[in-house]
Amino acid sequence: MAEKGHKAGLFDLRLIIAVLFGIYGVVLTIVGLGFTTDADLAKADGLNINLWSGLGMLVVAAFFGVWTFTKPLVVPDEVPEAEG
């Protein structure tokens, strides 16, 4: 039996999370690549935290985006009435 309903589309929370992680990831990656000073690196024991955090957020955003499109959320057209 096929499920009747429609896809959540832009209202799927996973897509909203993916977009937010993607935006923050791009910003942190740009800051990590272009605006990190030697003083910033010294505070973090030589690790470019902005760059690695940004790349990690982009990976999470890609995961949520792929998950949203491979397993779309189906919203039923009618809500069944509760018995009892």
Side-chain angles (χ1 to χ4, degrees), residues 1-81:
M1 180 176 172
E3 286 190 38
K4 293 183 180 181
H6 58 278
K7 295 178 184 175
L10 294 177
F11 297 108
D12 193 344
L13 187 60
R14 297 172 295 179
L15 186 59
I16 295 169
I17 291 171
V19 169
L20 288 175
F21 267 104
I23 291 170
Y24 293 140
V26 167
V27 169
L28 281 176
T29 302
I30 290 171
V31 168
L33 287 173
F35 301 101
T36 302
T37 63
D38 290 334
D40 294 333
L41 292 175
K43 287 184 208 175
D45 199 27
L47 182 66
N48 193 341
I49 293 177
N50 287 332
L51 176 63
W52 289 107
S53 297
L55 292 175
M57 287 184 166
L58 290 174
V59 168
V60 171
F63 170 75
F64 272 94
V66 169
W67 183 23
T68 300
F69 290 110
T70 58
K71 299 272 186 178
L73 180 65
V74 177
V75 179
D77 289 330
E78 296 179 9
V79 178
E81 293 185 25

